[in-house]
Amino acid sequence: GSVALAVTCLAAPAAQAATDGPAVTVAQAASGHVGQEFAGFSYEKDRVGAGMFDAADTDLVRLFRLLGPSSLRIGGNLVDMTPWNPAGAGGSPTEVAPADVVKLAGFARATGWKVIYGLNLKTNTAESAADEAAFAARTLGRSLEAFEIGNEPNFYRTEAAYEASYESYVAAIKAKVPNAVFEGPGVTNGQNAWLAPFTAKEKSNGLRILSMHSYIGDQTTGTIPGMLASNGKGYEEKDETALQTTKAADDIPQWRMSEANSYYHGGTAGVSNVQAASLWSLDFMYGIAAHNGDGVNFHGGTSTQWPLNYSPIKYDGLKPVGVQGVFYGELLWTLAGTGALHAATVTGASDVTAWGIGNNVIVNNKGTSAQTLTVNLRSAAVLGTEYVLTAPSLDSTAITIAGSGVDAKGSFHPAPKLVRVHGHTATITVPAGSAALLKTR
Ligand code: BDP
């Protein structure tokens, strides 16, 4: 009678609110895992000799700590051009000397970041690489995550030839560092055919992190619509699938995109360094996590080869002068915390992607209109906070998260909005060309 009617009347509006208008529904099942070292950096090897990584540079230490502890990969084209000089004094970008590695180790300790340490393969000998590796292992200690041998060997070796030289380097290194572990093969340009043969042989030889590199295309082809239409995918969706398959088949602990960014040859100014790149980097990281990947090292810093427009941190010489699009994407991702990754479906809104990390949700609105969305959470919560990553336009560098930019000294003072959460649902508004993180408790 009247009791049943009253219940129906109360229930109807609530049920309607969850299905009317745009909605994000987070899946119950987990489809990946986000760990602490997911959003990392990649730098050119000569930056070690130049002294870029210095614990006395408290601004750079703070900038790293905002995202960390995470994974710093040292490599790039310059790894294969920068010799190890055990007798060098240090402080020269044309070589790496013991004092430079000591400085890098101090920086790693000050930031809590782990180092993937690249060794020259192209213009080196196994003996010299092993000597450098032994010094790096002693000096970095627990800050050493893995060694990498050569950069993008698909440009100068066949798989079989790389395998042969890789094995001679590994044998020489293991003679001096018996418990050494490795990351590789770090091939690019969609060369995922290397993964299966390489892994089959190297899984019992200390291979800990299976890796590839990823860029969308050359910097002369970079556009904001092109970058966003890639949905975070360059060559890598088939690469991600191959990395996922090989990691599982051969039981390798991790796979990473150990070097990646939007457009190679340094990125496109006005595309790779702006708000659109923040949104691109978020979708890119989701794609990796959704294929059971363990992270990405976004390339940046400076290079003697070409300006690195895509760099997360912007430099004047060795000095950080600010942060750019990809840094903000990595920061929002990091603010979501660690935990199980959950896919989400988006209904009633186009150009919007979303996913859950733990019981937090990221909504990435690459479209031209603001969206007010009902978020259907995985688990009930009582309180929500919303961090909006936004800018005046997609091509703007005036990026903020929860009202705060990150300055050159690494200060960041976000003021997230409080969001009402009713059990499994919350409502958030994401401006056009912006992303939001809903954190729940
Ligand atoms: C990668 C290289 C790196 C370059 C980057 C680029 O490893 O050293 O800076 O491309 O072209 O292939 O931007």
Side-chain angles (χ1 to χ4, degrees):
S2 61
V3 171
L5 184 67
V7 168
T8 309
C9 288
L10 281 174
Q16 251 174 2
T19 51
D20 266 9
V24 167
T25 303
V26 182
Q28 282 298 328
S31 47
H33 183 267
V34 177
Q36 181 61 55
E37 293 174 13
F38 197 97
F41 290 144
S42 162
Y43 280 74
E44 299 286 339
K45 176 75 175 281
D46 72 320
R47 300 297 84 199
V48 175
M52 185 169 261
F53 310 105
D54 186 347
D57 185 346
T58 51
D59 294 350
L60 193 61
V61 168
R62 269 194 302 271
L63 286 165
F64 269 64
R65 286 180 71 107
L66 269 184
L67 298 184
S70 189
S71 162
L72 169 62
R73 175 264 185 170
I74 302 288
N77 287 339
L78 270 298
V79 79
D80 283 325
M81 301 180 205
T82 310
W84 163 242
N85 181 359
S92 162
T94 60
E95 62 182 29
V96 172
D100 302 321
V101 182
V102 170
K103 196 180 245 191
L104 173 67
F107 182 79
R109 280 192 298 273
T111 56
W113 283 51
K114 291 226 161 75
V115 176
I116 296 177
Y117 192 98
L119 295 161
N120 182 348
L121 170 67
K122 202 175 172 184
T123 59
N124 201 11
T125 63
E127 291 61 42
S128 151
D131 187 58
E132 179 179 1
F135 188 83
R138 263 203 314 280
T139 308
L140 285 160
R142 291 166 61 149
S143 303
L144 178 65
E145 190 170 3
F147 291 114
E148 175 185 294
I149 298 172
N151 183 58
E152 301 177 350
N154 54 295
F155 288 127
Y156 58 88
R157 294 271 205 286
T158 62
E159 195 279 322
Y162 178 65
E163 196 81 56
S165 46
Y166 177 93
E167 286 182 354
S168 73
Y169 273 55
V170 168
I173 292 166
K174 284 193 155 182
K176 296 189 171 185
V177 188
N179 54 359
V181 295
F182 298 86
E183 174 260 292
V187 287
T188 193
N189 241 359
Q191 295 297 315
N192 59 57
W194 283 45
L195 298 177
F198 177 80
T199 308
K201 280 178 266 157
E202 302 312 331
K203 66 179 170 191
S204 53
N205 210 7
L207 181 65
R208 203 186 147 70
I209 307 170
L210 191 62
S211 68
M212 286 189 72
H213 296 178
S214 179
Y215 291 88
I216 302 167
D218 185 83
Q219 60 90 13
T220 55
T221 67
T223 63
I224 288 176
M227 179 171 63
L228 293 180
S230 80
N231 270 325
K233 297 174 181 72
Y235 290 110
E236 85 282 358
E237 180 149 44
K238 62 179 166 47
D239 295 349
E240 288 169 346
T241 303
L243 286 156
Q244 175 176 23
T245 305
T246 312
K247 172 185 167 179
D250 289 308
D251 209 11
I252 306 298
Q254 298 188 17
W255 80 253
R256 296 186 73 88
M257 285 296 180
S258 55
E259 187 197 307
N261 217 308
S262 52
Y263 294 95
Y264 58 79
H265 293 151
T268 311
V271 174
S272 301
N273 58 333
V274 298
Q275 168 68 357
S278 322
L279 306 185
W280 168 80
S281 69
L282 282 164
D283 277 0
F284 184 81
M285 287 185 276
Y286 173 67
I288 292 168
H291 289 82
N292 211 23
D294 297 278
V296 51
N297 299 81
F298 281 108
H299 200 55
T302 57
S303 174
T304 49
Q305 296 197 298
W306 37 68
L308 301 187
N309 293 304
Y310 48 53
S311 184
I313 298 174
K314 189 176 178 175
Y315 292 85
D316 178 7
L318 298 177
K319 228 172 58 101
V321 294
V323 304
Q324 312 198 103
V326 171
F327 189 99
Y328 285 100
E330 292 190 82
L331 180 54
L332 194 76
W333 178 277
T334 304
L335 288 167
T338 59
L341 181 85
H342 296 264
T345 47
V346 179
T347 48
S350 50
D351 300 320
V352 176
T353 45
W355 56 89
I357 298 175
N359 202 32
N360 300 325
V361 182
I362 290 179
V363 180
N364 195 5
N365 179 12
K366 290 145 287 170
T368 50
S369 30
Q371 298 289 352
T372 296
L373 308 113
T374 301
V375 180
N376 298 305
L377 296 163
R378 213 167 44 79
S379 312
V382 291
L383 184 68
T385 47
E386 185 190 10
Y387 294 73
V388 176
L389 189 179
T390 193
S393 60
L394 281 177
D395 63 358
S396 171
T397 58
I399 307 166
T400 53
I401 293 179
S404 175
V406 174
D407 74 10
K409 294 185 168 316
S411 41
F412 173 56
H413 301 289
K417 281 182 276 188
L418 281 181
V419 172
R420 233 177 251 244
V421 182
H422 299 283
H424 285 74
T425 59
T427 303
I428 61 168
T429 297
V430 190
S434 304
L437 163 65
L438 171 64
K439 289 190 79 134
T440 67
R441 267 186 279 157

